[in-house]
Structures are given as C-alpha cells and as structure tokens.
C-alpha cells in the first residue's frame, strides 16, 4: 500500500511514521506493533530543543481527586491514536475524547455512562480505528472502544456520535455471551484489534475466584456488531487441550484471557493473542495439569478464529505470570534467511521469540526443573520453559542478605526485617505456608507496557522492573471459593519493598534494555529513572519501577516516560545514553506516540501524564505534547 493522502499519513504516523506534507509519500516500513516511526524532524542533535507545544486536560482529576472520592485514582494509561485529523484519547471512566492534534483543543467527547449510573473505573489504554490502514474516501473512520462494564461502542470519528448500525444503537453488550453474571468483573479497557472488517476483543476478568465469565477471544463485524467467531481459551469437551485439565476443572473456569493487546499480522491473516493465567491466580489444586491455553501465546486464523499454533510459556501458573504485553512482529535476518518473527515479553523477564508462521522458537527453548509446591493439594508442573536466548532481563535468582538494599539505613532495616521472616526464592518458587519472596513479582519483569523495535538496527527496547513479591498461602474456611489463598501482613499482592515503596533489592530498580534480535544478546542496559523519595536527598541513578513503554524513531531516538519520577526522556538508540528529559505534571504511566501534524507536518511527541495507580500518589488529568519550536512567522515585509 502506498500512502497517498495526508489523512492516511496522519493515521499511520502513530505507529509507523511518514513524511511531512512537503515530502513524497512513503511506504510503511514497520508493523504497528513495533511502535517505530520514520519521522525524522526530531533527531539526536536537536532533541534538547523540544518544548511543550500544548497541554490538554480531561477534567477527570479536578483538584487532584479521582471520579470516586475516597478510592485510589486508577492509572491514566491511554495511548493516543490519530484518526484523520482527530487525536483520540480515553479516560479511566471509559470516556472517549477527540483533540485537535495540532493544538490539543477538544473537538468532541463521548461518555458511555451519560445515560446510566457509572459503576466502574479502571485504567483505559485507548481505542481501535477502522479501517486499520488506508484512508476512507470521506474520512469516515470508525472509533471502536471498550468500557469498564463490558460494552463495545462504535463512534463516528468526525462527530463522536454512536453509529446506529452497530449493535444496539452503537453499542454491544459483551457480557451475556460469556456468562458474566451480576457483580462479576468483565471489562474491555485495552484497545481491540482490527483485522479486515472484524474487531477482535479480549477482556479483563476476575482473578480472585476460580469461577466466573469466560475469557474467550471473540471477533465481531465492525459494521454491525454480529459475532463472527470465537476461540475457546479454556477448551471445551473434545477440543485440543481439554486433556490438560483435571476432571471438572474447566467448568466455568475464569481467567485465561487476553486482557492485554492483541496483535494482527495482516499479510498472513494471523491473530496473536497473549493469554493470562487461569483463576484463581495463586492456587491450582482444583485445576491439576498444564491448563491450556493459560499463559500461552496463541496464533489464530483471522477469518475463522481457528488455532494455527500455540506456545505455553508458563505451565500451571500459580504466580500470576500473565502474558502482559502485546506481541511484536518483526523480521529477523538470521543464518542467511529472513525469519518472520513474533516476540513475546513476560513478567518473568524472559523474552521469547518465535517464527510467526510455524510457532518454532528462533533461539531455542529448554524445559528446566523448577521447585515443587508444599501447599496441600497443589501440584505444580515439574518444569518450565526458558528461552536459550535472549538472557533474562530481570533478576530470577533468589535474593541473599547481601543483595538487600543499602541505599538508606531506614530502607535497609525495613527490608532486612521482612527478609528475616521469609524464605527467599527466585523465579518459579511456589509460595508456601510460610512467607516466601519471589523474583520477579507480579509487577515484572516486563509489564503491559511492552516493547518497541527499531527494524533498521534490529534492536528491541523494553523497560523492566526489579520488584519482588512476598506472601504465603493461608488455609481458608470450609466453603470458601478456594481452599488456600495468598496473603501477607502487607496485603494479598504485597511487593517486596519498604513503606516508601523503595524496592528491597539493591538498585537499579528499573532498567531500559536494548536487545539485539539478530543475535539474541543484550546490546545495552541503563537505569531508567530516579526514585523521587531519594533524588530530593541527592541520591540518583537508582532506576525506578515503571508502567508505560517506549517508542523508537528512525533518527535513532527512544522516547519513554513510565517512571515514577514524572519525566519523559529520550535515549540514544545505539548506546542508551540519555539525551533529554522533561518534567511532566505527574508520572506518565503510559506509552507515548509521535505523529506529524495533519496541517503543519510538525512532529509531535505526546504522552498521558496522569500518575495514580500502583506507584504514584500525585495525579493529573494532563495529556502533554512536545515539539521543536515552531518556525518563526513571516514578518509580512516584501
């Protein structure tokens, strides 16, 4: 496909970039999953000149408060997307807002709860745009967005009005088709995928109980909302994989869901869905076996939903090691041939690379023995898959006392006191009946932030966290949903960090990595961010946990926010040297985008800077755009 209109250029630059209006049209040079832009106005030589071009406000966090006073503010994680001359963002209450991409001025907003009580709020990561490539003759893009109460809405990108042909007056209730009962979570807050005329949907489901709605991946006609196909993520009787569950374990089993982003290979007609763990997340005594297709990367036929291949990356998960990130499509030159590959990042800090046509590992996989659980009734799988390459990006070995933080005396004392109460374990150490430390914890490794690829360099850029988990399994009273439940004095999802949320291992606590996908080796690693609690005391270089990923540009830049210190940064793609940073109104726990303004051709870098969530007490409703200083206006003299 050749880009032939400015409208199409504006759409595609979110993912792949294109030339300014004065240049010849260009062909897309990468898949959107790579988060790579060919835009070349911002370079390593001028990136320090970036300045705030505009700031937009959603109104969600007026006065620093969320929409539900008294509750923690969910993370503002939207990733903007261009649809024609509209920049589309979403909010934690599932609102969809269109901004002028040149000025940030609001053009329209749609509230899916305008005519009903608001029952939920959650991090919302954006929308899908149909058609997925190319510009319709009249610019009539369709915006498809999910809601935190399990609906799918289709909007006219020009007006924000629901499209009456879709579902019931522009919306489709997804809950009845998966047996989502009253009070059970079923939400769609990650952008759906678009393949031809289909919108493909995953979902977030309950994790604290074994039984609930189905996590089936479903495809709907984008014009009408009619269901076209579905893939049973928990196999039905007689389907492949059913024998990997013990008797009765599959009945209304919840989890095994694509809560993260689904990736489409349009050329091959393949849908890549990263699936989560079976529920309950931390006890599997009622689901003995490998539990397909839990924690599996599944490749589906885009037209029919039939399984083409699968790779299960965690057998019988009891650690909440969901596959958290969108699969990345990239062509790799190796051994004299070009391999069409798919890269899957994981909370374990392991990077898996497969041939996307066959599912064969590019660098090999080994099944290695792992510790067995001592919890009554639990039957952990004796081995787990490890890629031969690349090496792990996060700590997977148990901490020793010498590995504990000494960054401050207070943190050292707190962490040592917790450490002395617990058994120290690494990757795949099952939580026992006594406090157990596991590395990595549920916050990774890698997270939903995913990665970016520079196809010209062959580099994968990914941010990871060094935060362990600490908990034990406690017996529950008769009649409880599960006989054992994860707990600790610090809560069910306790992190191994101190009371100031400083991780208990020695820093760096967060890194940005470049992995050479041609060799499977790490090209460079650098600490990412500074802990704000320490930077004020002059202690820097610690890195910090992050939520929000990177983008790469053809000029050799990597942009990333994500960290808990309210900064957007630019790094040199070749070396990892930090070239620039700018303060944000709150931490940018979101992935930035770059695009060419549809009228000016000016290159913008835009990120949601809302803070909140697991890491930040400061909150904001800001979306911030950076650009090089605008060209001076003509003086008007002849």
């Amino acid at each position: 496909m050749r880009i032939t209109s400015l409208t199409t250029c504006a759409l595609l630059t979110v993912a792949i970039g294109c030339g300014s209006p004065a240049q010849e049209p260009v062909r897309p040079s990468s898949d959107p999953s790579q988060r790579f832009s060919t835009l070349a106005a911002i370079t390593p030589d001028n990136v320090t000149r970036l300045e705030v071009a505009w700031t937009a406000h959603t109104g969600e966090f007026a006065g620093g408060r969320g929409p539900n006073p008294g509750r923690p503010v969910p993370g503002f994680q939207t990733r903007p997307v261009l649809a024609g001359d509209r920049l589309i963002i979403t909010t934690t209450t599932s609102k969809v807002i269109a901004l002028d991409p040149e000025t940030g001025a609001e053009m329209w907003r749609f509230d899916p709860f305008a005519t009903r009580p608001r029952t939920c709020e959650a991090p919302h990561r954006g929308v899908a745009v149909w058609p997925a490539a190319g510009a319709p003759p009249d610019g009539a893009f369709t915006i498809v967005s999910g809601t935190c109460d399990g609906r799918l809405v289709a909007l006219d990108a020009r007006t924000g009005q629901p499209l009456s042909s879709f579902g019931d007056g522009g919306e489709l209730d997804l809950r009845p088709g998966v047996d989502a009962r009253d009070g059970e979570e079923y939400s769609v807050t990650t952008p759906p995928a678009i393949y031809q005329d289909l919108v493909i949907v995953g979902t977030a489901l309950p994790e604290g109980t074994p039984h609930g709605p189905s996590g089936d991946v479903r495809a709907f006609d984008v014009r009408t909302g009619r269901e076209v196909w579905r893939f049973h993520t928990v196999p039905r009787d007689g389907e492949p994989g059913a024998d990997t569950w013990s008797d009765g374990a599959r009945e209304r089993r919840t989890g095994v869901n694509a809560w993260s982003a689904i990736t489409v290979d349009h050329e091959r007609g393949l849908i890549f869905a990263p699936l989560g763990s079976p529920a309950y997340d931390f006890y599997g005594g009622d689901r003995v076996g490998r539990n397909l297709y839990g924690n599996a990367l599944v490749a589906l036929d885009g037209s029919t939903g039939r399984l083409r291949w699968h790779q299960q990356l965690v057998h019988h998960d009891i650690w909440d090691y969901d596959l958290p990130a969108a699969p990345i499509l990239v062509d790799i030159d190796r051994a004299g041939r070009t391999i069409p590959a798919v890269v899957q990042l994981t909370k374990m800090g392991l990077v898996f690379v497969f041939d996307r046509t066959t599912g064969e590992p590019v660098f090999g996989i080994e099944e290695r023995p792992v510790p067995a659980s001592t919890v009554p009734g639990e039957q952990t799988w004796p081995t787990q898959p490890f890629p031969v390459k690349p090496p792990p990006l996060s700590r997977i070995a148990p901490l020793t006392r010498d590995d504990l933080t000494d960054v401050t005396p207070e943190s050292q004392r707190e962490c040592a006191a917790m450490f002395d109460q617990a058994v120290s374990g690494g990757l795949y150490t099952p939580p026992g009946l006594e406090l157990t430390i596991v590395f990595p914890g549920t916050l990774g490794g890698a997270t939903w932030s995913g990665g970016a690829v520079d196809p010209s360099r062959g580099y994968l850029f990914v941010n990871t966290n060094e935060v362990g988990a600490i908990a034990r399994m406690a017996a529950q009273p008769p009649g409880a949903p599960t006989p054992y439940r994860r707990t600790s004095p610090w809560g069910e999802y306790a992190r191994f960090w101190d009371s100031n949320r400083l991780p208990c291992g020695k820093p760096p606590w967060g890194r940005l990595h470049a992995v050479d996908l041609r060799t499977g080796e790490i090209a460079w690693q650098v600490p990412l961010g500074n802990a704000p609690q320490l930077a004020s005391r002059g202690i820097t270089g610690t890195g910090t946990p992050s939520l929000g990923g990177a983008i790469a540009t053809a000029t050799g830049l990597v942009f990333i926010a994500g960290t808990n210190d309210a900064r957007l940064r630019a790094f040199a793609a070749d070396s990892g040297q930090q070239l620039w940073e700018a303060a944000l109104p709150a931490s940018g726990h979101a992935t930035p985008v770059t695009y060419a303004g549809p009228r000016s051709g000016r290159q913008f870098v835009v990120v949601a800077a809302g803070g909140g969530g697991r890491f930040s007490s400061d909150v904001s409703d800001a979306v911030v755009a950076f650009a090089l200083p605008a060209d001076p206006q003509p003086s008007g003299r002849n």
Side-chain angles (χ1 to χ4, degrees):
M1 178 197 68
R2 181 173 294 275
I3 300 173
T4 56
S5 73
L6 181 58
T7 303
T8 308
C9 175
L11 172 64
L12 290 175
T13 47
V14 173
I16 61 170
C18 63
S20 68
Q23 296 174 321
E24 289 296 318
V26 298
R27 289 186 183 275
S29 62
S30 65
D31 184 270
S33 67
Q34 294 179 11
R35 301 201 307 233
F36 175 77
S37 172
T38 60
L39 291 179
I42 303 172
T43 71
D45 292 332
N46 64 23
V47 68
T48 57
R49 298 178 60 215
L50 285 177
E51 61 185 21
V52 175
W54 54 258
T55 301
H57 296 276
T58 67
E60 290 274 278
F61 307 131
R65 299 173 66 89
N68 290 317
R71 295 186 189 176
V73 173
F76 183 30
Q77 297 175 357
T78 187
R79 185 166 188 244
V81 61
L82 273 170
D85 59 355
R86 309 301 199 251
L87 184 68
I88 310 298
I89 64 171
T90 56
T91 75
T92 60
T93 56
S94 302
K95 293 186 182 74
V96 184
I97 302 174
L99 306 176
D100 183 320
E102 304 267 6
T103 67
E106 184 171 318
M107 303 177 79
W108 55 256
R109 70 170 50 202
F110 172 79
D111 183 356
F113 292 97
T115 59
R116 67 178 72 192
R118 191 179 309 283
T119 58
C120 54
E121 56 183 314
H124 198 290
R125 295 177 186 136
V127 304
V129 177
W130 178 79
D138 57 357
F141 292 99
T142 295
I143 304 300
V144 186
S145 185
T147 70
C148 57
D149 65 347
R151 289 174 288 149
L152 203 61
V153 297
L155 309 174
D156 185 323
R158 296 166 298 186
T159 65
Q161 293 301 306
L163 296 174
S164 59
S165 61
F166 183 85
D168 182 9
E171 72 173 40
L172 187 65
D173 187 354
L174 301 174
R175 296 175 63 89
V178 292
D179 192 20
R181 301 173 186 176
D182 289 348
E184 293 180 331
E185 179 188 4
Y186 190 90
S187 62
V188 180
T189 52
T190 293
I194 300 291
Y195 173 67
Q196 295 182 353
D197 295 343
L198 300 178
V199 54
I200 300 163
V201 183
T203 182
L205 296 175
E207 298 186 359
T209 179
H211 304 293
S214 162
D216 288 351
V217 177
R218 292 184 284 172
F220 301 90
D221 186 303
V222 74
R223 294 183 177 90
T224 66
R226 176 183 63 87
E227 183 175 314
V228 176
W229 59 254
R230 71 167 60 200
F231 172 72
H232 297 139
T233 58
V234 175
R236 305 286 177 89
D237 289 345
E239 293 181 345
D243 59 351
T244 66
W245 299 77
S246 52
D247 290 345
R250 292 177 288 116
E251 298 305 316
R252 206 166 183 267
R253 177 67 58 175
T254 196
V256 197
N257 53 315
W259 60 264
S260 188
I262 293 168
T263 297
V264 177
D265 182 337
H266 292 275
E267 180 183 352
R268 292 168 179 80
L270 289 174
I271 310 300
F272 295 96
L275 298 182
S277 58
Y280 168 55
D281 285 347
F282 302 110
Y283 180 79
D286 62 341
R287 50 176 172 86
V288 174
R290 283 191 299 134
N291 303 152
L292 286 176
Y293 294 93
N295 307 81
L297 176 62
V298 296
L300 309 177
D301 183 287
S303 298
T304 66
R306 294 191 181 118
L307 181 69
R308 293 278 196 91
W309 59 260
H310 76 277
Q311 287 279 2
Q312 188 178 48
L313 306 187
V314 184
H315 309 316
H316 188 85
D317 185 12
I318 58 167
W319 302 273
D320 191 28
Y321 284 154
D322 296 338
L323 303 192
I328 304 168
L329 308 185
V330 59
D331 294 335
I332 299 174
D333 292 328
R334 184 168 171 78
R337 69 185 185 98
T338 299
I339 302 172
V342 55
V343 179
Q344 181 63 58
L345 300 170
T346 69
K347 291 183 182 180
M348 301 89 75
L350 305 179
V351 180
F352 292 88
V353 185
F354 301 103
D355 184 315
R356 63 181 181 263
T357 60
T358 66
E360 290 300 310
V362 171
F363 296 106
I365 288 179
E366 297 175 347
E367 288 283 339
R368 299 177 187 171
V370 294
S373 176
T374 58
V375 174
E378 184 61 82
Q379 296 184 39
T380 45
W381 200 256
T383 63
Q384 294 291 348
F386 288 77
V388 175
K389 287 184 177 183
L393 302 185
S394 300
R395 166 184 285 276
I396 64 172
L399 278 178
T400 68
R401 222 172 188 282
D402 290 340
D403 296 324
L404 294 178
T405 180
D406 55 5
V407 71
T408 69
E410 302 85 358
S411 185
Q412 187 177 40
R413 282 194 297 270
E414 275 193 61
C415 292
M418 286 191 286
F419 183 85
D420 290 343
Q421 299 177 58
V423 174
S424 182
L427 180 62
Y428 296 126
T429 298
L433 299 178
E434 54 189 331
L435 281 174
T436 306
I437 298 168
V438 178
F439 267 89
T442 57
L443 282 179
T447 70
W448 59 263
S449 312
V453 165
D454 183 329
S456 63
R457 290 170 171 81
Y459 281 5
L460 163 72
F461 306 104
V462 57
N463 51 311
T464 61
N465 299 328
E466 294 285 351
V467 183
I470 181 168
R472 66 182 182 90
M473 300 301 292
Q476 301 298 292
T482 182
Y484 287 88
R485 194 167 190 88
R486 188 178 189 263
T487 187
S488 82
W490 309 280
E492 185 175 15
Y493 282 84
R495 328 294 179 190
F496 190 44
W497 56 28
D498 70 12
S499 56
N500 291 311
R501 297 187 178 183
L502 297 177
C504 284
K506 281 186 170 67
W509 299 316
R511 288 188 176 96
L512 179 64
H513 311 257
V515 178
D516 190 330
L517 291 174
R518 298 163 297 187
T519 65
E521 303 295 341
I522 295 174
W524 52 258
Q525 297 171 315
V526 295
L528 179 60
N530 293 296
Q533 308 96 313
L534 301 176
S536 61
R537 301 164 61 173
I539 303 171
T540 59
T542 59
T544 180
S546 60
L547 289 172
I551 60 173
T553 74
T555 58
L557 291 172
V558 179
F559 288 98
I560 187 167
T563 53
N564 198 30
D565 57 0
R567 296 289 189 274
L568 175 65
R569 294 178 166 89
F571 293 84
D574 289 323
S575 66
Q577 178 187 359
Q578 183 175 314
L579 302 176
W580 169 82
E581 70 174 47
L584 298 171
S587 295
H589 297 317
T591 300
V593 296
T594 189
Y595 59 86
R599 297 188 299 276
S600 67
R602 190 182 184 194
Q603 185 179 354
F604 294 88
V605 179
V606 181
V607 68
R614 294 182 174 91
F615 291 158
S616 300
S617 55
D618 294 335
V619 297
S620 171
D621 66 345
V623 178
V624 186
F626 295 86
L628 297 172
D631 292 334
Q633 297 297 313
S635 64
R637 291 179 295 177
N638 293 327

